[in-house]
Amino acid sequence: LPFSIVSEESIRCLVDGFYDKVRQDSELGPIFEEALGQDWGPHLTKMYDFWSSLMLTSGRYKGNPLAVHQRLDTLQIGHFERWLGLFEQTCHELFGPEVAEAFLIRAHRIAGNFKLALFYRPDR
Ligand code: HEM
């Protein structure tokens, strides 16, 4: 496995590898293309900051991810399973099980929060 620890370098590699898969995915790819166009550079930089803030408490990410996803009108609840599947695959390509699990716990927790906020509609 390429990495034994969480570092800025291994986070960049995870983010790059993950979004390569996302970009090629028939359902997720078009959502990102629509939002980002052809220049993924700024998004990738933001995602390095995001994961660095979560995993290394670097504090570099400032933003409101929920609000950003609220604006994606083609986002469907089923897309989360696909997103998490690709993220899990990438984590296991790069890290041993303990480090992979540390990323995955956070990804699942945030995906769960997004799903509730975006799709849960109690009867009123
Ligand atoms: C940004 C799609 C799930 C974290 C974005 C953007 C897209 C997107 C298209 C770029 C929006 C823009 O810049 O206009 C999706 C889809 C998901 C998903 C289709 C699955 C259904 C997640 C999850 C996480 C996450 C589970 C966290 C673990 C982020 C963050 C940003 C982002 C941090 C940057 C927000 C900002 O601009 O500050 N996402 N996303 N996304 N996504 Fe997701």
Side-chain angles (χ1 to χ4, degrees), residues 2-3 7-18 48 90 94-95:
F3 299 104
S7 62
E8 297 294 346
E9 187 199 1
S10 61
I11 285 172
R12 281 196 298 273
C13 197
L14 173 66
V15 168
D16 290 347
F18 171 62
Y48 305 150
T90 317
L94 298 177
F95 299 105

Side-chain angles (χ1 to χ4, degrees), residues 66 70 77 80 109-122:
L66 178 59
Q70 255 151 358
I77 194 160
F80 282 98
R109 195 180 58 218
I110 295 163
N113 290 340
F114 283 179
K115 274 201 286 191
L116 279 174
L118 296 171
F119 296 104
Y120 180 63
R121 294 283 177 275

Side-chain angles (χ1 to χ4, degrees), residues 1-3 14 17-18 21 86-96 100:
L1 292 163
F3 299 104
L14 173 66
F18 171 62
K21 294 190 207 305
L86 295 179
F87 192 73
E88 180 170 349
Q89 213 180 305
T90 317
C91 285
H92 287 302
E93 285 167 3
L94 298 177
F95 299 105

Side-chain angles (χ1 to χ4, degrees), residues 32 43 46-47 50 61 68-69 72 75 79-80 83 110:
F32 281 85
H43 176 67
K46 216 179 290 180
M47 298 314 292
F50 178 72
Y61 175 76
V68 170
H69 294 83
L72 304 173
L75 185 69
H79 291 146
F80 282 98
W83 190 106
I110 295 163

Side-chain angles (χ1 to χ4, degrees), residues 91-105:
C91 285
H92 287 302
E93 285 167 3
L94 298 177
F95 299 105
E98 292 86 2
V99 175
E101 196 55 24
F103 279 99
L104 290 167
I105 282 170

